[in-house]
Amino acid sequence: MHKVIVITGASRGIGAATAKLAAARGYAVCVNYLKNHAAAQCTVDEIIRSGGIAIAVAADVSLEAEVQRLFQIVDEQLGPITALVNSAGILEPQMRVDEMDAARLNRIFASNIVPYFLCAKEAVKRMSNRYGGNGGVIVNVSSAASRLGSAGEYVDYAASKGAIDTLTIGLSKEVASEGIRVNAVRPAFIYTDIHADGGEVGRVDRLKPTIPMQRGGTALEVAQAILWLASEEASYATGTFIDLAGGK
Ligand code: NAP
């Protein structure tokens, strides 16, 4: 079967690394992004130069109409989806819970929780044998923050990832008998741009001494785990998590 993967937030970071590795493993790839067209095009160009198939689609995955348009474009240009990786996410500057206002909380929950549900909905409607699909996989990019709590930095973000863990468990049970596996990775301390959004570009290096493995991780190391969960090698795994946090 032709493998088609939609990866949200694939212009940069973990999503981009997953897109390139997925293409190398034979998937036709939809590189979704929000606004950084140049970065998305760069990911797509690299895949095409290596002989792969990829399209870039700008869509704000926190908006239902945009998500529907994204999946329609994939239907038309790549064919039936077989895998979804929910990776798009944001951080806000570090602060304590007693400093956070409702506007910030709404931005974090709207950007980090709602998109995973909306994209999972569109993927299930296409992949579930309940709707005539041939099955498939969903991999959610959660975070070790859901276990650790991110005290003093961003408990709101950590809580949004707690919701993703619960989505992973609940949805996996909902669709397990319909040919769909749903799993998650829980990375931490990965060298990407997201730490700049949190107001601390050098965060991974600052925390290195506190990580049992004494180093940060790479986006490729996360991509490898995501694509293992998406592969047939993980055929009996659903509702489960791979922690990628250097032992933390
Ligand atoms: P990143 O380098 O900052 O990339 C974020 C990506 O998400 C970009 O492609 C961005 O698109 C996209 N995006 C953000 N909001 C979007 C929206 N509403 N609609 C569509 N795309 C959107 O982040 P990253 O570090 O790779 O993070 C990827 C995922 O891993 C996130 O869910 C994050 O929470 C999780 N994670 C990261 C770490 C880490 O240490 N880096 C640890 C644990 C979990 P544009 O380029 O267009 O802005």
Side-chain angles (χ1 to χ4, degrees):
M1 187 169 59
H2 188 52
K3 298 190 291 185
V4 173
I5 192 167
V6 175
I7 305 172
T8 69
S11 46
R12 296 182 284 122
I14 291 167
T18 306
K20 290 176 216 168
L21 192 61
R25 297 200 179 162
Y27 289 91
V29 183
C30 171
V31 172
N32 160 254
Y33 66 103
L34 180 60
K35 54 186 184 308
N36 195 334
H37 175 73
Q41 198 53 49
C42 193
T43 305
V44 166
D45 289 347
E46 201 175 318
I47 290 171
I48 291 172
R49 265 200 311 275
S50 308
I53 298 169
I55 57 170
V57 182
D60 180 344
V61 287
S62 67
L63 304 175
E64 192 159 23
E66 295 264 295
V67 171
Q68 288 167 351
R69 183 177 58 79
L70 165 68
F71 279 80
Q72 273 158 19
I73 291 171
V74 173
D75 292 341
E76 289 160 17
Q77 298 192 14
L78 298 179
I81 178 181
T82 59
L84 165 68
V85 177
N86 277 316
S87 187
I90 62 162
L91 267 185
E92 296 247 345
Q94 297 171 0
M95 64 176 69
R96 289 166 49 100
V97 169
D98 52 20
E99 297 171 301
M100 292 175 187
D101 62 18
R104 168 185 167 126
L105 295 172
N106 286 326
R107 280 194 303 274
I108 287 292
F109 299 148
S111 296
N112 289 355
I113 304 174
V114 173
Y116 282 50
F117 277 81
L118 293 177
C119 291
K121 172 184 172 180
E122 293 305 314
V124 166
K125 278 165 47 184
R126 287 161 173 79
M127 300 189 304
S128 166
N129 56 35
R130 179 190 179 101
Y131 300 110
N134 294 316
V137 293
I138 297 173
V139 182
N140 292 323
V141 182
S142 175
S143 171
S146 73
R147 296 184 285 114
L148 302 173
S150 303
E153 291 191 315
Y154 16 70
V155 175
D156 54 347
Y157 168 86
S160 76
K161 294 303 187 178
I164 298 311
D165 289 359
T166 306
L167 165 66
T168 302
I169 294 165
L171 181 62
S172 72
K173 292 177 179 167
E174 233 169 63
V175 297
S177 65
E178 301 171 16
I180 302 176
R181 294 184 298 105
V182 184
N183 294 291
V185 292
R186 287 192 294 215
F189 321 114
I190 309 301
Y191 289 101
T192 71
D193 297 343
I194 205 167
H195 306 289
D197 298 347
E200 188 184 2
V201 177
R203 178 173 178 269
V204 176
D205 286 331
R206 172 176 63 83
L207 292 172
K208 250 192 323 206
T210 71
I211 302 167
M213 287 178 75
Q214 303 280 298
R215 69 168 179 89
T218 67
L220 177 61
E221 289 177 306
V222 183
Q224 286 166 337
I226 290 171
L227 289 172
W228 181 78
L229 285 170
S231 77
E232 271 305 298
E233 292 189 353
S235 54
Y236 201 46
T238 199
T240 193
F241 302 88
I242 297 182
D243 290 319
L244 303 153
K248 190 98 168 171

